[in-house]
Amino acid sequence: MTEHTLDTAPVARTEPAGLPFTRLLFIATGSVSAAELPSWISWLRATHPALEIQTVLTRSAQRFVTREALNLLTGRRTLVDAWPEEPVLRAPHVDLTAWAEAVLVYPSTFSYTARLALGLADSPSLLTAQCTAAPVAVAPALPPGGVQSHAYRRHVEALEQRPNCVVVPPVPALSLTTGRTDSWAAAPLPDVLDGLAALHRRITEEPTP
């Protein structure tokens, strides 16, 4: 969990460029930044009305935002990032991989970023992100010292070596614990979408070998 306060409220952009995809898998993890999701989703719906958004919340993200709020805002049932306890007819990660034209992890905690970089696939969203050929944008949100951490920098390097992954650096934020601006919030969503859109165009415009 990260515990900064946010200075990235969704007011930065009112006329965004068009997105080159129409189905976005939006994964949120357990940072306090997740509390801003309803505002960001509202902004997305207002600025990109044709965009379909499928939200997935990790268990820790549910401490900061409710599935009910996201259901109403997206018009789709928000999924919990856990393996079904009951037998299912279809594997959720397979359906998500086939559906998503782009994947966004926003915010991405230190732990989730590390698990993704290490190739772990112990939840439906991680397995989807590992298996998809669609572009994946990761927007870390980190505690004080997180950006300077050797482990974090190694994980970012590993993710950026993937042809379908971009890591958008976090921005300084006020720590609720220290009272100083030494924490790190996820970059504003428009900036992360710009990175995701650019990566999508680069992937789709590359000639097939």
Side-chain angles (χ1 to χ4, degrees), residues 4-11 26 28 31-43 61 64-65 70 73 106-107 185-186 189:
H4 50 262
T5 59
L6 299 177
D7 54 5
T8 59
V11 296
F26 198 128
S31 165
V32 68
S33 305
E36 297 286 337
L37 282 189
S39 295
W40 280 126
I41 297 293
S42 295
W43 175 82
F64 305 107
V65 62
L70 299 182
L73 291 168
Y106 190 97
L189 185 59

Side-chain angles (χ1 to χ4, degrees), residues 144-160:
V147 167
Q148 296 81 15
S149 160
H150 177 72
Y152 169 72
R153 288 188 279 113
R154 290 289 299 270
H155 294 321
V156 171
E157 291 174 2
L159 289 171
E160 290 182 337

Side-chain angles (χ1 to χ4, degrees), residues 139-199:
L142 304 168
V147 167
Q148 296 81 15
S149 160
H150 177 72
Y152 169 72
R153 288 188 279 113
R154 290 289 299 270
H155 294 321
V156 171
E157 291 174 2
L159 289 171
E160 290 182 337
Q161 289 178 1
R162 300 183 184 185
N164 72 326
C165 186
V166 61
V167 180
V168 181
V171 296
L174 181 67
S175 169
L176 296 174
T177 301
T178 68
R180 299 186 296 270
T181 308
D182 56 2
S183 191
W184 300 88
L189 185 59
D191 295 344
V192 181
L193 284 177
D194 284 347
L196 184 59
L199 177 60

